[in-house]
Amino acid sequence: MKSTYLLSLILICINSHVNALIHEINTIKRMKHFVPHKNRSKTLIVIDIDNTLIEAQLPQARPAYYKLLIKHYETMGIPHTIAQQQAVDYILPFLKKTAVKPAENSTVKIIQQLQNKGYPVVALTARSPIIQETLQQLQSIGITFSLQNYIPDVQKKIVDATLTRPAWYQQGVIFCNNNDKGKVLKKFLTMINFKPKKIITIDDQLYNVQSVEKMAHNNRIPFIGLRYNFFDATYTQNYTFPAYDAPKTSDVTHFLKNQHTQPAH
């Protein structure tokens, strides 16, 4: 009896290990090693945009700059949630107007190959719904997403309107608007009435991969996560503001003063 019980536990552990794995990859070319040849139309491939598919040409539009801004505001005494919103407001004009380039020379080709082989490929971005600018940036390097087999061809659709910052979908791109990626993806799959047989996600941020992994696990969907570290050496922990562009302390002080003088609600 005990041996049967132990064998069952081992099999469960092995099955969990097979069905939910996170790997580090340093090039998008390695995606091909994790994509199954069977059930292509039921294998959902979920790809991040910034520092995974594309790199912004303007430094102020890059994720590393956004993170640096948050830390900078926090050192000035601004609470994290407010610092986060301030950083979004600061980088948004740069994000809208920046030119972009593929993360790697092979990025566009690999995405197109996956699409041509019949895999549903969707972009899952933390971006706020700057929809047209994002779609134009992707199109400028030759990437378009389409899930016409799984969702009606609508111009614009709210994925979750109950959130303080609503998430949106358009033309194969899910704009999470800084909400939890796993939760937004679940809402999206429910919206289109699609349960994949496997989810493969690639993202440069480990916590985003883990968020989708958690959602897949809770819904008993086999999962492979790919943490994309191609830019790790470029944007290290020692990344600093360009000398000409450090936020002005006077601007932050003025913001804090306004916060303290506003009447409480």
Side-chain angles (χ1 to χ4, degrees):
M1 180 67 73
K2 287 184 178 180
S3 60
T4 303
Y5 176 72
L6 288 173
L7 180 60
S8 298
L9 282 178
I10 292 170
L11 289 173
I12 290 171
C13 291
I14 292 173
N15 187 59
S16 298
H17 183 68
V18 169
N19 287 340
L21 294 172
I22 295 179
H23 304 267
E24 290 276 330
I25 63 171
N26 59 7
T27 173
I28 199 167
K29 294 177 183 177
R30 290 203 61 211
M31 275 193 71
K32 294 185 289 186
H33 299 295
F34 301 98
V35 177
H37 297 292
K38 296 181 179 180
N39 295 317
R40 293 181 180 181
S41 65
K42 293 290 186 177
T43 299
L44 181 65
I45 298 175
V46 181
I47 304 182
D48 176 45
I49 291 181
D50 293 290
N51 279 10
T52 302
L53 281 179
I54 63 174
E55 181 184 25
Q57 300 279 36
L58 292 176
Q60 300 94 330
R62 294 171 183 164
Y65 194 97
Y66 167 72
K67 291 180 181 179
L68 201 60
L69 270 177
I70 293 175
K71 290 182 179 179
H72 178 79
Y73 290 143
E74 287 178 334
T75 61
M76 300 303 296
I78 298 178
H80 177 75
T81 54
I82 299 175
Q84 190 178 43
Q85 187 56 52
Q86 284 294 109
V88 169
D89 293 344
Y90 184 90
I91 70 168
L92 201 56
F94 299 102
L95 199 58
K96 286 182 176 181
K97 69 181 181 180
T98 187
V100 301
K101 62 180 181 180
E104 300 179 57
N105 293 334
S106 56
T107 299
V108 176
K109 181 180 179 180
I110 287 174
I111 299 303
Q112 291 174 343
Q113 287 176 342
L114 291 170
Q115 292 171 324
N116 291 338
K117 289 179 180 178
Y119 296 98
V121 184
V122 64
L124 185 70
T125 176
R127 288 186 177 198
S128 59
I130 49 169
I131 294 175
Q132 291 307 317
E133 293 88 349
T134 301
L135 295 177
Q136 288 169 5
Q137 288 167 352
L138 292 172
Q139 290 167 5
S140 73
I141 63 168
I143 292 180
T144 58
F145 295 99
S146 179
L147 291 179
Q148 66 269 24
N149 294 331
Y150 306 98
I151 186 171
D153 187 17
V154 294
Q155 289 299 309
K156 190 176 181 181
K157 197 172 187 73
I158 296 179
V159 175
D160 192 344
T162 65
L163 298 168
T164 303
R165 301 182 302 272
W168 291 82
Y169 165 84
Q170 186 170 343
Q171 295 181 29
V173 180
I174 303 169
F175 296 85
C176 292
N177 206 359
N178 278 326
N179 292 295
D180 182 276
K181 284 192 172 184
K183 292 179 180 178
V184 173
L185 180 60
K186 171 57 180 172
K187 288 278 188 178
F188 173 75
L189 294 176
T190 300
M191 182 182 76
I192 64 174
N193 192 29
F194 176 56
K195 184 172 181 178
K197 291 187 179 295
K198 177 170 281 189
I199 293 176
I200 300 173
T201 189
I202 175 171
D203 199 300
D204 66 306
Q205 297 298 325
L206 179 60
Y207 61 84
N208 286 330
V209 179
Q210 292 171 331
S211 170
V212 179
E213 177 192 32
K214 181 179 178 181
M215 182 279 291
H217 174 76
N218 290 342
N219 290 274
R220 303 180 65 83
I221 302 172
F223 172 84
I224 294 177
L226 303 176
R227 214 289 289 182
Y228 184 68
N229 61 30
F230 180 78
F231 286 105
D232 282 10
T234 304
Y235 304 113
T236 64
Q237 296 296 322
N238 298 321
Y239 183 77
T240 58
F241 288 112
Y244 59 86
D245 198 58
K248 297 177 181 177
T249 302
S250 58
D251 292 341
V252 181
T253 303
H254 178 69
F255 171 79
L256 283 171
K257 183 178 178 182
N258 288 342
Q259 287 295 111
H260 289 307
T261 56
Q262 286 179 359
H265 294 284

